[in-house]
Amino acid sequence: MPSPCTYSVAPAILEAAQPRDMMPMFLSDPVLAVFCLLCAAFFAAGLVRVMINLAVLDHPGHRSAHENPTPKGGGVGVMAAFFLFFPLVQDITGHSVLRADVILTALATALLACVSWLDDLYQWPASIKFVAQCVAATMVVAGGTALPWPTPLVGAILSVLWLVFLTNAVNFMDGLNGLISGCLMVGNLLVAAMGLYFGVPDLIWPALLLAGCLCGFLPFNFPKARIFLGDVGSQGCGLLAGTAALYMTQHSTQPSGWLLGPALLFPLIFDVLFTLCRRKLAGYSLIQAHRGHLYQVLHRSGMNPALITLCEWSFVCWGGLVAFLAAPFPPLKGAILAFVLLMLPQLGWLALATVRTRRHPVGPW
């Protein structure tokens, strides 16, 4: 007669089914990550409504596109939602947040956002904002997100200058309903869509998260503005955009993959650089507030502001397509091809501004 079996598979089955073993499979579920993105969008929208009720008003000035006092600080909702959900989304998608580059970038963005919000409230001197931008950019570079060439030191200096410039460029271009928030939303969606192709999958979920937070804000700002993004949003998002561009330059597996960030941001970069050069040649002060950006000139000439915004969004889409086409080429060929293709719509935009201001004079610009 066979002896009774003293071994039971039940403990092994129960051990295999413990929550600690099931947890990684659950947390890596992209459905849960998408749910978090939706929650971030709704959370951002809720905070934006709170900021509308708080009514920290932006009163019209000589360079404003609006005519009535309008609340500002919508960027508080965008930044708060991003920081709240970022660690959760990273954990769900299997990415660590306990890395020097992630931690220092988060601290730098939080610092800049806080200083910018206080500036929105108290209108601090420009020198304080500039110092905060430099400190934030240095923190990002100290975390290891910097250009790898031509030497580490020179690359670090160029990276700081790039971050400060782009933070200001985004801030300068935040002067029309939905322009900056929409451009950044479209740009982040394109980064997420092409992240695998460019070899930067780590940026897919952070880009989707920031796009989701901007989606929560955009309905309150476009086509009719109930609230503005404010410096807290434009400068915080500008620093994140510049950091993402540096990260892509470091890690892209495509020969000309470094072009993706600058190509997506090219409409903003071109407008700012052209305006600065033109004002310098005309003898105007470069630090004086003005309404001489191309989008402002077109608006002053009577062009529909919603149409201007949609055109700027389309330029970002064009930049994504150009970067996609140029990515496989060697760096020099890719750069030349991308520059030529990116300049075409911008030259047309400049020609349109010139023609419209001749037919509808707007004064000095």
Side-chain angles (χ1 to χ4, degrees):
M1 181 176 181
S3 59
C5 178
T6 58
Y7 174 77
S8 173
V9 296
I13 295 175
L14 290 174
E15 183 179 357
Q18 290 300 312
R20 66 175 179 271
D21 295 326
M22 297 172 63
M23 193 63 72
M25 184 181 298
F26 173 68
L27 287 181
S28 63
D29 188 352
V31 175
L32 182 59
V34 171
F35 176 73
C36 287
L37 298 183
L38 294 175
C39 290
F42 282 107
F43 184 77
L47 284 182
V48 170
R49 288 190 63 89
V50 171
M51 297 307 298
I52 293 175
N53 294 331
L54 190 60
V56 178
L57 298 178
D58 185 344
H59 295 277
H62 70 280
R63 65 182 294 269
S64 302
H66 61 292
E67 298 178 353
N68 300 312
T70 304
K72 58 183 176 180
V76 171
V78 175
M79 291 287 99
F82 182 81
F83 280 114
L84 179 64
F85 284 91
F86 177 74
L88 183 59
V89 171
Q90 287 291 94
D91 187 54
I92 290 171
T93 56
H95 296 92
S96 174
V97 295
L98 300 179
R99 294 178 1 212
D101 57 342
V102 175
I103 293 173
L104 283 175
T105 297
L107 291 175
T109 308
L111 169 67
L112 187 58
C114 289
V115 172
S116 299
W117 172 236
L118 292 173
D119 176 64
D120 281 337
L121 291 175
Y122 302 113
Q123 298 297 302
W124 284 348
S127 57
I128 296 179
K129 292 190 290 185
F130 180 71
V131 169
Q133 292 166 359
C134 292
V135 171
T138 303
M139 290 172 65
V140 170
V141 173
T145 306
L147 294 173
W149 42 261
T151 66
L153 178 59
V154 175
I157 294 173
L158 292 175
S159 299
V160 170
L161 294 175
W162 160 258
L163 290 172
V164 172
F165 166 75
L166 194 65
T167 299
N168 281 289
V170 172
N171 185 231
F172 293 158
M173 294 293 288
D174 184 26
L176 205 63
N177 296 349
L179 195 155
I180 276 298
S181 53
C183 284
L184 293 176
M185 181 191 69
V186 172
N188 277 283
L189 290 175
L190 290 172
V191 168
M194 296 187 290
L196 290 177
Y197 175 76
F198 279 86
V200 286
D202 288 352
L203 289 182
I204 292 176
W205 287 103
L208 286 174
L209 177 60
L210 186 55
C213 295
L214 289 166
C215 281
F217 164 78
L218 197 57
F220 298 96
N221 184 251
F222 180 80
K224 181 177 176 59
R226 297 171 57 190
I227 190 171
F228 297 141
L229 199 61
D231 284 358
V232 58
S234 62
Q235 297 207 28
C237 289
L239 183 66
L240 289 175
T243 303
L246 290 177
Y247 185 90
M248 288 183 277
T249 299
Q250 282 181 301
H251 297 92
S252 178
T253 56
Q254 294 288 344
S256 292
W258 65 274
L259 288 167
L260 179 58
L264 292 173
L265 297 165
F266 194 79
L268 316 180
I269 295 171
F270 175 84
D271 194 319
V272 171
L273 289 179
F274 173 79
T275 301
L276 289 176
C277 291
R278 183 182 50 76
R279 288 182 62 81
K280 178 65 176 178
L281 293 175
Y284 296 120
S285 171
L286 297 184
I287 61 174
Q288 182 180 4
H290 60 86
R291 293 192 299 165
H293 288 285
L294 291 177
Y295 77 91
Q296 292 172 319
V297 170
L298 286 164
H299 178 244
R300 290 161 57 195
S301 73
M303 188 172 176
N304 186 293
L307 180 59
I308 296 173
T309 293
L310 292 175
C311 287
E312 295 283 1
W313 295 4
S314 69
F315 295 154
V316 176
C317 293
W318 175 249
L321 176 61
V322 169
F324 181 85
L325 295 174
F329 287 88
L332 182 58
K333 282 188 176 180
I336 295 173
L337 173 64
F339 181 75
V340 172
L341 293 177
L342 290 171
M343 282 296 295
L344 292 178
Q346 297 308 313
L347 293 176
W349 197 234
L350 174 59
L352 177 63
T354 303
V355 170
R356 286 194 63 88
T357 53
R358 288 177 178 174
R359 295 178 179 177
H360 310 279
V362 298
W365 60 280

